[in-house]
Amino acid sequence: MRRLVIAASVVFCGGVVALVVALVMVVTSLAGTPDEPSEPVAVGVTCPDVEPVVVGTISVPAGPVAGYCQDRLVNAAWIMEAAKAQGIGTHTQAIGVMTAMGESSLRNIDHGDEVGPDSRGLFQQRDNGQWGTYEQRMDPYTAATSFFTKLVRIPGWKELTPTQAAHAVQVNADPDHYTRWWDDAETVVAALTASPAS
């Protein structure tokens, strides 16, 4: 008899749960309309409340800009400054920023990975003689200078898409690897370009 009561309770509870789930599904479906497709809710990035810092000619805000806070935006500013020193405009500056986003998430990384255990810095440049010393690869401005120096020596580089240009320099296993960061890179470069140091 006791087993029967427990079984009945489980069935009853299961029915209540099923009923509640069904009601939630009905309410959810009624809340939207065919003209308003549901979209995932983006999780906001909260950055430390800090004063702007100056990198060359750029005043770097606290952020977030495209999801990046000041510690990473400073590295983007160094990339832009290295490009500007070579007379390179904002479109190609964004290619450099996009590449560093794809390689290191704009962090100056002091380690490599399985593919390149000797890779270092914003661009994960290898210790193969092409990118300078360890100190040069770990210096954001110098590493970016090396990236742009190689880029502008590639025949027809101005006709390449952003990800093709990045791939021509970095020789990533996936030529389209950098594409997903292009919009964010343009956003960051535009924001930092609009924030000149006073």
Side-chain angles (χ1 to χ4, degrees), residues 48-118:
D49 186 15
V50 294
E51 292 296 318
V53 297
V54 175
V55 172
T57 60
I58 300 170
S59 177
V60 183
V65 176
Y68 295 92
C69 295
Q70 189 182 76
D71 60 329
R72 301 192 193 193
L73 295 173
V74 162
N75 290 326
W78 281 121
I79 294 168
M80 293 169 63
E81 287 294 304
K84 287 193 279 186
Q86 295 186 43
I88 292 170
T90 55
H91 175 79
T92 308
Q93 290 171 31
I95 292 175
V97 171
M98 172 193 71
T99 305
M101 286 175 172
E103 291 290 346
S104 66
S105 296
L106 289 177
R107 293 174 296 141
N108 202 24
I109 298 177
D110 193 17
H111 62 79
D113 54 26
E114 287 184 18
V115 177
D118 57 348

Side-chain angles (χ1 to χ4, degrees), residues 120-174:
R120 297 293 184 273
L122 290 176
F123 293 90
Q124 287 291 279
Q125 293 162 332
R126 303 289 302 271
D127 185 18
N128 56 14
Q130 295 183 38
W131 306 106
T133 65
Y134 165 82
E135 289 77 14
Q136 290 169 327
R137 291 181 291 138
M138 285 300 296
D139 178 71
Y141 183 90
T142 306
T145 299
S146 296
F147 173 85
F148 290 117
T149 298
K150 184 173 179 182
L151 175 61
V152 300
R153 290 179 180 163
I154 295 168
W157 69 273
K158 290 184 178 179
E159 281 72 51
L160 299 175
T161 66
T163 193
Q164 287 172 337
H167 176 67
V169 176
Q170 300 293 106
V171 195
N172 193 291
D174 176 9

Side-chain angles (χ1 to χ4, degrees), residues 22-46:
L23 285 173
V24 169
M25 290 174 66
V26 169
V27 170
T28 303
S29 67
L30 292 175
T33 66
D35 297 331
E36 299 171 347
S38 61
E39 294 183 18
V41 178
V43 178
V45 174
T46 302

